[in-house]
Amino acid sequence: MSSQARPSPWEHLALGALILLLFGTGLRAPLIYDDAAFILKNPLVTGSWPGFEAFLSTSFASQGEYEPLGTLLHWGLFQIAGEEPFLYRLSSLLLHWTAASLFLELFGRRLANARAAWAAAALFALYPGQTEVLAVSTFKKHLLVAVGAGAVLLLQTARPRKSGHFWAAGACLALALLSKESALAIPLLAAGASWAEGSGRGGRLKEDLPFLGVLTGVSLGFCMMRTLLIPRSFGGPLLDSWPLHFLTSAKLFCWSLAQLPYPWDLCLEHSLGPVRWSGDGLPFLYFLGAAAGGLIWCARRDRLLAFGGFWTAAALLPFMNLIPYLNYSLVANRYLYLASAGFFLAMARAGQRLLEAKPGARPAVLGAFAALGLCFAAADARRMVVFTDLLDLGETTAACAPGNPRAHSNLASVCLGLRLNERAEKAALTAVALAPGDGTGLQALAWVYARTGRLERAVDLLEAPARETADPGMLETLAALHLQAKRAGPALSALRDARRPGPISETNRLNTGIALGLAGIPDEAERELLPLTAGGRHRDQAFKALGDLYRQAGRLDEAESAYRMSLEAAPMQADTVLSLARLQARRGRREAAVLILDGFAALLEKNLAPM
């Protein structure tokens, strides 16, 4: 291997500087989209330390997803930063830089040319599809898988190989698998790398069998553990037809390949639908046949070029819905993350081959790579700005994916948070019309009804679907609506039905405590609420509920203390301020009550003053 193939520290730093320059605008972007459900509402993340067993034996979502390492990482970030987004965003940028640096080292060893390696790694780092992975913290799982893949493939190139390399590769693969199941593609990548490295028919496959055996053993062990701990059920084929289902997979593969050189469809959701009749799917089969033929042709002439193509295909394979698991979004830009590294490796190798055949084409080749990098950079800058504005992101997503119910239900949730009730209702109605069983859309519409004086209509909307599906989110929303109507019994029933094995959500505990207090069961209510006062996103509301509970029981000193602790955790609470002032008046402290109200008025005026 040429010494020139070893990237210098400056080249690694240059990659990091590019990433910070183009994606750094998202460092202050709020936690958005899946982050709300899988970070801020996930009891494994926001609760106290549950023990490693809880992370390893619990799904982070109702569909049976198993991503314990990402959940554990977010638990640590939440303990440090709470809901402040900076550390979540910074950690994503650092992981992206780590993946790009690992691939830079790997490309240098494979291409034996530091400049070509840096070009490929830079294009990977700047690829506009990565904005989605960096802007939504829940998507860190793709970053973690890529870091694991880069580490395994680098360890594979070690010569001479020692026992420590085997253990390290197995550990890296295990951590990647605990981040996301798509890491099962890593042993395939390692096998392809072994074939591409040698000159014989099988390359280095025979020599690398022990290394590949370790990776295979880790993968099989993970599959067995995954099946025993968190069994996952899969749906039937799309449109109840396996032929159309696999034709749709071919369509998804073609869409993904088309996105890599020209990422024209940058959207958080997509309206791409399934193939509805065989004739409509045949062109995708022809395209795949041509791509396979091209890969075979490359394999006979340049193994490294073929390996880049194989890497791209193998990394895409877990996201092609061959085993049914996808829902309203059949494709996503984030699914291209690891695949894009293989694609740009193939591009760099193709550029090398062209220059070997036609040295005079050097200016044209370098110009083409530079132009592509500039186009990627411009797209990155524009796209990251969208992620910093929740409303802009919601409206942009609904506009570019008009047939996707998730796009509209997300917009409805954003508008609810901004109190744009009319816009929220329109978006929620669209989501429900596109997918009547979409729980997120139904919940958003129910909240709109409740906020605009149609509480009973909101309850009627959710009652039947929440009970039929037993969806925890819908049941907890239904319970909150019953609490608004001061109906403790139905609220408690819904909250108990929403509880599942594993940590109980803080929202469930809070509303259960409030409902028990409303039902006249103060001791049980206190037991539910007290753990929430230790920390978490509902600490202020838990103290407020305890204050109400103590006030009703005549424990006025404890009630006053609880109200004050609530305001210490979150000062801008008009209802808590009013409760504390009324408590002081009840105790004959009218001057203290007036001071409390005046202090809140001054605080409110300060916060409403123009910047």
Side-chain angles (χ1 to χ4, degrees), residues 161-230:
R161 193 175 292 150
K162 300 178 181 179
S163 61
H165 295 125
F166 291 86
W167 288 106
C172 289
L173 176 59
L175 291 173
L177 288 166
L178 292 174
S179 303
K180 189 168 179 64
E181 294 150 330
S182 59
L184 288 168
I186 294 176
L188 286 177
L189 300 185
S194 295
W195 171 83
E197 194 170 351
S199 57
R201 185 174 182 181
R204 288 184 176 270
L205 279 170
K206 187 175 181 180
E207 179 183 337
D208 283 352
L209 275 179
F211 187 89
L212 298 175
V214 169
L215 300 183
T216 302
V218 171
S219 298
L220 291 174
F222 169 80
C223 290
M224 291 178 62
M225 181 190 73
R226 171 74 169 88
T227 303
L228 292 173
L229 289 178
I230 310 288

Side-chain angles (χ1 to χ4, degrees), residues 393-545:
L393 176 64
E395 291 182 335
T396 300
T397 305
C400 63
N404 191 306
R406 275 171 53 93
H408 297 282
S409 59
N410 175 66
L411 175 58
S413 299
V414 169
C415 291
L416 274 170
L418 298 173
R419 297 199 169 273
L420 301 172
N421 296 334
E422 185 176 344
R423 184 71 184 92
E425 182 170 355
K426 181 180 178 182
L429 286 169
T430 302
V432 172
L434 288 169
D438 177 32
T440 308
L442 286 170
Q443 290 176 75
L445 186 57
W447 281 121
V448 172
Y449 288 159
R451 184 176 290 175
T452 54
R454 294 170 282 177
L455 182 57
E456 292 308 318
R457 187 173 179 183
V459 171
D460 291 342
L461 178 70
L462 276 190
E463 188 77 51
R467 300 291 185 182
E468 289 171 5
T469 61
D471 177 79
M474 294 177 70
L475 286 166
E476 289 185 2
T477 300
L478 177 63
L481 295 173
H482 279 304
L483 283 178
Q484 283 193 22
K486 305 298 183 184
R487 292 192 287 260
L492 284 171
S493 173
L495 288 165
R496 286 163 181 159
D497 289 345
R499 295 195 173 190
R500 295 287 182 272
I504 300 167
S505 76
E506 292 184 0
T507 302
N508 192 302
R509 281 197 179 279
L510 175 67
N511 285 337
T512 298
I514 294 171
L516 287 168
L518 188 62
I521 314 175
D523 292 342
E524 289 188 29
E526 189 174 15
R527 279 196 293 271
E528 291 285 344
L529 293 170
L530 278 174
L532 300 178
T533 62
R537 62 193 309 258
H538 292 311
R539 184 168 181 262
D540 58 319
Q541 297 172 66
F543 273 121
K544 168 64 167 61

